Amino acid sequence: MVIKPKVRGFICTNAHPVGCAKSVENQIKYIQGQGFGESGPKNVLVIGCSTGYGLASRITSAFGYGAKTLGICFEKPPTEKRSATAGFYNTAAFHNFAKADGLYADTINGDAFSDEIKAQTIDKIKQDLGKIDLVIYSLASPRRTDPDTGETFKSTLKPVGQAYTTKTYDTDKDKVHEVSLEPANQEEIEHTVKVMGGEDWERWMLQLSEADVLADGCKTTAYTYIGKELTWPIYGQATIGKAKEDLDRAASTIISSLSDKSVSAHVSSLKALVTQASSAIPVMPLYISLIYKVMKEEGTHQGCIEQIAGLFAERLFAENPPVDEANRYRMDGVETNDATQAKIKSLWDQVTQENFHQLSDYAGYNREFLNLFGFEIKDVDYEADVDLLVTW
Ligand code: NAD
């Protein structure tokens, strides 16, 4: 079957298996071209391993440090007529490349928030790996069912405290327009914290510890976005930001409750990038199109793989790495420094429907968006027949 992208709003409803495999291969090649130090992870659990920052973390662990990786994701397999999700094809490709290099890789496809998947993961670790020395927590999800109560919570993307009017770009209608976002009520804030806060990260770490599958000195990190003034009203100081603040609380709890194993837990703040998660956030496509323009001109543009390679080499496995006032690793300085922010702010103030395509790098944003689903990747023949039924 010949597959062309089917874009609906902020998602693409299909994926190209050969393009996804090529994108994974390109990230592997990038990592193989970097020099990583002697000290690194050996047995890694990546929760949210199939796309975006989690996939980059898995690739860095395996191909940068030769680690065995166990991944958890929530992806749809293909049918005769319907392509799998991109994360499914990415994972299949990752398994093939890992196998070719003699690297252990296994993946559990199911709801990471459930205790059932946690139990399956623990069994798998006991069977194949013994103990884990790095746990990456990279989930992005709009809902979570609390395993204790069975209640399902949904996250909301709204400002906190007061309504906020700002510019946004509608990728469907190619339109820059104003958007007014009503503030969240208390319940919406609490539910967002339930979904994207630190409760599940903590639960994972406690269950892994109780099952005695964490190595002494095990490291864990969960990913956050902090941003700056332009995105604070809709991200950093909004419902999602409240949830992300809860990760800081969880990191402290993990450190204190697992002190017998000297577990180190850090929140890592990463830069804004096009991923399936970020393209769903109002304002982000406009903001990211502008930062791509500025950062490409500055020569500081980075994708997921460059950010994560830096996080591993300069923070997670570096001696005495710097942390911020909340004990977080910061890899977002390339975006949040004052000089870069001033340039983005100036473009933000000027941008209108008429000049959007000149002032922004929307072409770059859109290409990276399609790349997420395996489309528009260099050296892939998109006219060729492909087999949808790829698996691992
Ligand atoms: P993504 O959408 O690319 O990846 C999400 C991953 O979570 C996928 O592997 C998916 O399969 C998995 N997943 C979702 N729900 C699941 C479930 N119920 N059970 C098992 N797996 C599930 O997202 P991303 O942008 O890479 O985000 C990962 C983390 O990085 C998030 O915490 C996000 O806030 C953070 N972050 C993102 C950005 C950005 O700009 N994209 C910036 C900084 C930090």
Side-chain angles (χ1 to χ4, degrees), residues 114-379:
S114 70
D115 282 349
E116 189 196 340
I117 290 296
K118 290 182 177 73
Q120 269 186 41
T121 306
I122 287 165
D123 286 347
K124 193 87 202 142
I125 296 170
K126 284 186 175 162
Q127 196 183 305
D128 294 355
L129 300 171
K131 298 207 179 196
I132 292 291
D133 52 22
L134 175 64
V135 180
I136 299 290
Y137 191 83
S138 186
L139 293 183
S141 170
R143 70 186 67 80
R144 167 175 172 242
T145 300
D146 182 337
D148 287 330
T149 61
E151 192 179 347
T152 299
F153 296 93
K154 285 191 182 147
S155 64
T156 314
L157 294 163
K158 285 188 178 176
V160 167
Q162 55 194 25
Y164 181 63
T165 300
T166 186
K167 291 178 189 176
T168 193
Y169 175 67
D170 186 329
T171 49
D172 232 9
K173 300 194 180 115
D174 185 19
K175 227 175 155 53
V176 175
H177 62 93
E178 281 213 330
V179 60
S180 285
L181 301 158
E182 285 307 307
N185 60 37
Q186 192 53 32
E187 188 178 273
E188 288 171 321
I189 298 171
E190 285 165 13
H191 286 197
T192 307
V193 174
K194 270 291 216 186
V195 180
M196 288 297 287
E199 201 174 273
D200 182 61
W201 181 28
E202 223 180 303
R203 196 175 180 99
W204 265 103
M205 293 307 294
L206 290 182
Q207 294 193 10
L208 291 166
S209 170
E210 276 161 17
D212 199 22
V213 293
L214 293 181
D216 276 346
C218 175
K219 296 172 194 282
T220 184
T221 187
Y223 296 149
T224 192
Y225 178 70
I226 294 176
K228 269 293 195 140
E229 281 87 349
L230 276 173
T231 51
W232 280 346
I234 180 60
Y235 200 107
Q237 296 170 354
T239 44
I240 180 80
K242 294 284 162 207
K244 293 295 190 181
E245 273 169 33
D246 189 58
L247 290 176
D248 296 329
R249 178 204 56 74
S252 305
T253 310
I254 292 167
I255 292 170
S256 58
S257 50
L258 304 186
S259 59
D260 56 327
K261 294 205 170 66
S262 309
V263 170
S264 78
H266 291 270
V267 172
S268 299
S269 184
L270 305 170
K271 77 177 276 283
L273 276 173
V274 188
T275 65
Q276 294 186 41
S278 67
S279 49
I281 301 175
V283 181
M284 276 311 203
L286 177 56
Y287 175 75
I288 295 175
S289 302
L290 296 178
I291 68 166
Y292 275 19
K293 175 84 166 183
V294 169
M295 293 179 70
K296 283 180 186 174
E297 279 171 10
E298 283 180 344
T300 55
H301 178 72
Q302 292 183 332
C304 287
I305 198 71
E306 290 89 353
Q307 277 271 289
I308 296 297
L311 175 71
F312 275 59
E314 295 156 28
R315 299 290 188 277
L316 276 171
F317 294 97
E319 268 187 43
N320 302 317
V323 289
D324 72 4
E325 69 293 345
N327 200 33
R328 301 183 203 104
Y329 293 142
R330 301 297 295 260
M331 297 307 294
D332 52 1
V334 279
E335 170 193 341
T336 57
N337 70 80
D338 291 343
T340 304
Q341 283 293 313
K343 290 182 212 163
I344 302 167
K345 173 87 173 57
S346 157
L347 292 181
W348 184 272
D349 292 342
Q350 295 169 56
V351 73
T352 60
Q353 171 69 20
E354 289 67 40
N355 62 21
F356 173 66
H357 290 279
Q358 286 84 57
L359 292 190
S360 75
D361 179 32
Y362 180 67
Y365 174 96
N366 193 42
R367 189 171 48 250
E368 282 195 23
F369 173 78
L370 290 168
N371 289 170
L372 298 176
F373 304 91
F375 296 107
E376 285 208 20
I377 298 203
K378 218 168 141 246
D379 298 331

